[in-house]
Amino acid sequence: MKTFLKWFVLIFLLLFLGLWIAIKVFSEKMPEVNPTTAADELAVKMMNVLGKEGWDTLAFLQWSFKDRHHYLWNKQENAAIIKWKDKKVIMNLNDQSGRAWIKDKELLGQDKDPILKTAWKYWCNDSFWMFAPFKLMDPGTIRTLVDISNKGSKGLMVTYQSGGVTPGDSYLWILNENNEPTGIKMWASILPLKGLYFSWENWLTLPEGVRLSTSHHSKFVSNKITNVKSGKYSLEFGYDIDWFQ
């Protein structure tokens, strides 16, 4: 038994060491943050190519992340219905307050706090994959032009100094000659591998003229978005009452 434990501990340590070495070897150094007016102008061009005018007037947006987390966002009021497994939350995204249910039972008082906290974490992650290109000019962000080796491509790094769950993260957008994003490199606190690349592909266009990417692939994981739909009223999405009222 002691011999087995020794081998188990040794194998665990070797795997841990191998993982640590891989992270060190394959991680990329983050480009230096250097905000400029030119970077701001490129961010505006990128958003305009993707339909910023339609985005500004968008009323409701529905989507599912990995077919696990399901959202209906009231964009104008910045509130959302968030559902996963047997849980449902209606949240004011400005202050993370709201109501929560498990199955059909509403939670009251402090009982709902853990569910609200989880819903907020899901929202911060999943909404990024849904519409991050329209968050380039959010309050608390700064933008940096980055030289990249890909011919005909441009680099635009956005650093989030505040907001969300993990402020301080930086994201390097890779843009083609038409200022369309083709992928993103991430320096995020939740990711041990720094500079991890995700593709930005499988685009769809909403009736409002907004373009959204629904597939994001890296060497290790893929994020798929489905069930995307926009509308003017919440009742267009299969609800019998207006929960936002």
Side-chain angles (χ1 to χ4, degrees):
M1 186 65 177
K2 290 183 178 180
T3 302
F4 172 80
L5 289 175
K6 288 180 179 179
W7 277 106
F8 178 82
V9 171
L10 179 60
I11 292 172
F12 175 81
L13 291 175
L14 288 174
L15 289 174
F16 180 82
L17 179 61
L19 179 61
W20 183 84
I21 293 174
I23 290 172
K24 290 296 183 181
V25 170
F26 292 106
S27 286
E28 295 184 18
K29 182 180 179 181
M30 191 180 82
E32 183 178 350
V33 175
N34 181 27
T36 62
T37 301
D40 294 346
E41 292 173 350
L42 181 57
V44 172
K45 291 178 182 178
M46 174 179 160
M47 290 190 293
N48 286 339
V49 165
L50 299 180
K52 180 63 162 56
E53 184 176 352
W55 178 257
D56 290 341
T57 60
L58 190 67
F60 289 88
L61 180 64
Q62 171 188 275
W63 78 93
S64 296
F65 182 76
K66 291 187 173 182
D67 292 324
R68 301 173 188 170
H69 308 155
H70 311 281
Y71 299 89
L72 176 60
W73 182 30
N74 182 336
K75 182 173 177 291
Q76 300 303 314
E77 295 185 10
N78 201 28
I81 299 174
I82 305 169
K83 298 192 293 185
W84 70 99
K85 294 183 179 178
D86 60 350
K87 301 172 181 64
K88 180 175 74 173
V89 163
I90 302 174
M91 177 174 286
N92 179 340
L93 299 169
N94 295 313
D95 60 10
Q96 296 90 62
S97 63
R99 302 169 65 186
W101 290 260
I102 295 180
K103 295 184 178 178
D104 294 325
K105 181 181 179 181
E106 183 169 6
L107 305 178
L108 303 176
Q110 295 182 346
D111 290 343
K112 65 182 178 180
D113 291 348
I115 306 299
L116 293 177
K117 186 176 181 180
T118 298
W120 174 242
K121 288 183 178 180
Y122 287 161
W123 168 264
C124 290
N125 178 77
D126 302 353
S127 64
F128 177 89
W129 296 106
M130 181 76 266
F131 51 78
F134 294 104
K135 297 176 65 62
L136 306 184
M137 304 292 288
D138 278 7
T141 60
I142 54 176
R143 289 146 295 280
T144 301
L145 291 180
V146 177
D147 290 329
I148 56 177
S149 58
N150 294 356
K151 187 177 180 180
S153 298
K154 309 169 188 176
L156 174 67
M157 187 170 74
V158 181
T159 300
Y160 290 80
Q161 297 179 305
S162 62
V165 177
T166 56
D169 294 347
S170 292
Y171 305 90
L172 174 58
W173 290 98
I174 312 301
L175 311 181
N176 64 19
E177 63 275 7
N178 298 318
N179 299 320
E180 301 167 329
T182 59
I184 190 172
K185 289 187 174 183
M186 307 177 66
W187 285 265
S189 58
I190 63 172
L191 295 176
L193 186 61
K194 305 306 178 184
L196 181 62
Y197 176 85
F198 281 87
S199 65
W200 221 261
E201 54 190 316
N202 288 343
W203 294 85
L204 59 79
T205 302
L206 300 178
E208 294 82 0
V210 178
R211 298 177 60 201
L212 298 169
S213 167
T214 60
S215 295
H216 313 291
H217 303 289
S218 74
K219 293 180 179 180
F220 309 103
V221 65
S222 295
N223 295 322
K224 185 178 180 182
I225 295 169
T226 57
N227 196 31
V228 181
K229 178 183 176 182
S230 61
K232 294 183 179 180
Y233 309 100
S234 63
L235 296 181
E236 297 178 45
F237 299 89
Y239 294 96
D240 54 355
I241 62 173
D242 186 352
W243 287 101
F244 295 108
Q245 296 299 321

